[in-house]
Amino acid sequence: MAKVPWRKRLLTRLLAVSVLIAIGSIAATAWLAVQTTTKAIEQEKGQALSDDATVYTELLGRAAGSPSWGGVGPLLHDLASRTGRRIILTGEDRAPIADSGGAPILLPAQASAVIDPLRADPILVPEAGTSGIDPRAVGPFRLTDEERNQLDAVVAKQIECLRGFRITATPRSAPNGKPSIDFNGFPLTAASKCGLFGNDVLTGTEEQALSQLTGLVNTCMQRQGLQPVKLDLTFTALGVISDPQAARACVEAGRREQLRTFVAPPALLFVTSESGQPSNPFNLSKANTTRIIAVTVGVLGLTVLITVLLATRVSRPLRTLTEAVRRNRPAPVTTRDEIGYLATAFNDLSERRKIMVSDIAHELRNPLTAIQGRLEAAEDGIIPLDRALTTSLLEETQLLHHIVEDLQDLAAADAGSLRLHPEPVHLSDLLDQVVEAYRDRAAAAGVALAVETEGDPEILADPVRLRQIMGNLVSNAIRHTPGGTVSVRARSADGECVIEVADTGAGISPADLPQVFDRFWRAEKSRSRQTGGSGLGLAIVRQLTEAHNGTVSVTSTLGEGTTFTVRLPHPDPG
């Protein structure tokens, strides 16, 4: 068997369909890529924000603990190496202070942040609170080394004392260097014996700085006509306060005035990429980009692989069916889908073809057997070779010729080569001709033959083929209505020409009605030829009617009769 070109193979067509499926999968892949990209962007953005927050908080701490930006260069280089960014500090006038390195660049119009420990970003430095003052900016509240050493010794003794009470305690240090204790539990006995209640005593440095701050705050309060207040180490105003909001504003203003000489001046922070471009947290890293590409290619490849496997599986039963057709044997029905239906239809068609070949052989064998038998009898001298013999042989030959012509008509109809020569036809004239042609046969069978036409319907049809249709129906009705009546009626209805051939014969059982137009079908199961006919007449009627774009149907009642109805288009012949 010749190989089918690739472009015509079912597998190729299925692969073409798989491309469409792949396009659909790309949509799913795109969705997955978007999800992955979104997650990657969130990771990148989170990392970028974390890096930026690190840079900001460390530089802010540096500014809070030093009155100038001198010597900040090493810190900038360390931050740049940790974050992979370029970091530039300038004054508020954009005068350079320090740069982590690289060729000079044009600074962006907008700074990344302002480094000012007295006005810190409360989001990045929550400890600054509403005042915005970095808690690491302690200024004059920073303890001297002597004070810190003394307090460290006291705290060490207190921790040792607490351990005797089986209390775990650890030292911690406030931003100004003052030590304190973190411990679990707080039994009053242990706290009293270990001297914990004395830790809130102000040192000399704290007392002096707090006194100075109180003076600054009360000067502000007096300018606003408010009563003076006292402050504790949490910078909370104590006393009778008529305007808490104004008091809080004076406390914040006093703290800024007191700390201004102890912290570095405000500076502009510029964070860019290593090349000097503005930092963009939405640029994906190589790892995330590779991951997204891998996900996309993986999903697409998996889709194509699954499609190829499905296409191969689908084409396998088709190859089996093709092989069955080539070898002319039944095709196995392994599925219940369209391919299974196709295999079933093929098997049914193959079986019907075998039956039809058997029927044709049977129909041709009868007249040939009769001819052969009579000729052999004449040859042997059993019957005389006279006119009666030749007449009998002629009848069988005509029957054989009739069967062959019917088969040719059906073959032409099946092949689509049945030619029609339509012309305007008056049904009343054509039906009269058909009835007259069969009147003698009807009389011989004792059948009353009648024709009735409403008006004079005119249609566009092939008169020869139309007479063949009506002749087959009338002949069939006469054959199955001995001693009865056959009526031929024609009328126009709903744009159609309706022709009915009704008889008063024995009728057809409901079980047999669907097979009436099948080839070689006879109501007589014994296939007796006593009633005549080749079994092809009604099949030819259906084929010729459909060739005229019409339909034929049958209704029947057992014991009452049968009616065949032909419906043909009724166009305007003009």
Side-chain angles (χ1 to χ4, degrees), residues 314-326:
V314 169
S315 63
R316 188 180 298 116
L318 290 177
R319 291 197 300 270
T320 303
L321 178 60
T322 303
E323 186 67 17
V325 173
R326 188 175 71 86

Side-chain angles (χ1 to χ4, degrees), residues 330-567:
V333 181
T334 58
T335 62
R336 300 185 63 181
D337 54 10
E338 292 83 355
I339 298 177
Y341 295 153
L342 179 60
T344 302
F346 166 75
N347 291 338
D348 182 59
L349 180 62
S350 179
E351 185 64 26
R352 290 174 64 182
R353 184 184 65 177
K354 293 178 181 178
I355 294 174
M356 186 179 70
V357 170
S358 175
D359 288 339
I360 292 174
H362 177 81
E363 295 297 333
L364 295 178
R365 185 183 299 112
N366 286 337
L368 288 175
T369 300
I371 294 173
Q372 180 180 357
R374 291 172 187 174
L375 288 176
E376 288 177 351
E379 183 72 19
D380 294 336
I382 299 175
I383 60 175
L385 187 59
D386 54 10
R387 186 176 182 84
L389 176 60
T390 57
T391 300
S392 174
L393 294 177
L394 179 60
E395 289 177 355
E396 295 295 338
T397 304
Q398 289 175 340
L399 176 59
L400 187 62
H401 180 72
H402 178 65
I403 294 174
V404 172
E405 284 186 340
D406 286 347
L407 289 173
Q408 286 179 334
D409 288 340
L410 290 174
D414 290 340
S417 60
L418 184 64
R419 293 186 179 182
L420 299 180
H421 302 281
E423 61 182 67
V425 176
H426 290 274
L427 274 183
S428 59
D429 294 340
L430 186 139
L431 295 180
D432 287 341
Q433 294 173 9
V434 171
V435 169
E436 287 301 322
Y438 285 90
R439 193 171 296 280
D440 291 341
R441 186 182 302 180
V447 176
L449 190 57
V451 60
E452 178 183 349
T453 305
E454 294 182 7
D456 189 9
E458 185 177 0
I459 62 172
L460 196 64
D462 186 328
V464 176
R465 294 300 185 182
L466 188 54
R467 277 194 294 269
Q468 187 177 1
I469 292 172
M470 301 314 302
N472 284 354
L473 291 178
V474 171
S475 174
N476 183 74
I478 294 172
R479 190 162 52 248
H480 293 89
T481 315
T485 300
V486 174
S487 300
V488 181
R489 300 184 293 266
R491 68 181 188 278
S492 296
D494 300 327
E496 294 180 323
C497 183
V498 180
I499 308 172
E500 296 177 345
V501 177
D503 64 58
T504 58
I508 305 172
S509 68
D512 290 334
L513 279 177
Q515 307 174 53
V516 165
F517 296 101
D518 289 351
R519 299 171 187 184
F520 300 108
W521 179 86
R522 287 195 184 91
E524 297 86 355
K525 305 304 179 185
S526 63
R527 301 185 59 84
S528 171
R529 298 188 54 84
Q530 293 178 359
T531 56
S534 65
L536 298 174
L538 293 181
I540 292 175
V541 167
R542 181 173 61 181
Q543 292 283 9
L544 294 180
T545 302
E546 292 175 354
H548 281 84
N549 298 319
T551 61
V552 60
S553 60
V554 58
T555 58
S556 184
T557 304
L558 281 176
E560 297 183 7
T562 304
T563 300
F564 286 87
T565 303
V566 176
R567 298 178 181 272

Side-chain angles (χ1 to χ4, degrees), residues 260-333:
R260 194 168 304 279
T261 58
F262 293 90
V263 300
L268 300 181
L269 172 65
F270 295 90
V271 180
T272 68
S273 64
E274 292 180 345
S275 62
Q277 297 298 320
S279 177
N280 183 6
F282 294 99
N283 287 334
L284 296 178
S285 64
K286 291 183 179 179
N288 280 325
T289 301
T290 303
R291 187 178 300 111
I292 292 170
I293 293 175
V295 168
T296 304
V297 173
V299 172
L300 184 59
L302 181 62
T303 302
V304 173
L305 177 61
I306 292 175
T307 304
V308 170
L309 293 177
L310 290 176
T312 303
R313 183 175 180 180
V314 169
S315 63
R316 188 180 298 116
L318 290 177
R319 291 197 300 270
T320 303
L321 178 60
T322 303
E323 186 67 17
V325 173
R326 188 175 71 86
R327 295 180 179 274
N328 194 23
R329 55 182 174 80
V333 181

Side-chain angles (χ1 to χ4, degrees), residues 115-134:
I115 306 297
D116 184 357
L118 302 183
R119 299 187 184 278
D121 188 337
I123 297 177
L124 297 177
V125 188
E127 299 85 356
T130 57
S131 68
I133 300 175
D134 193 319

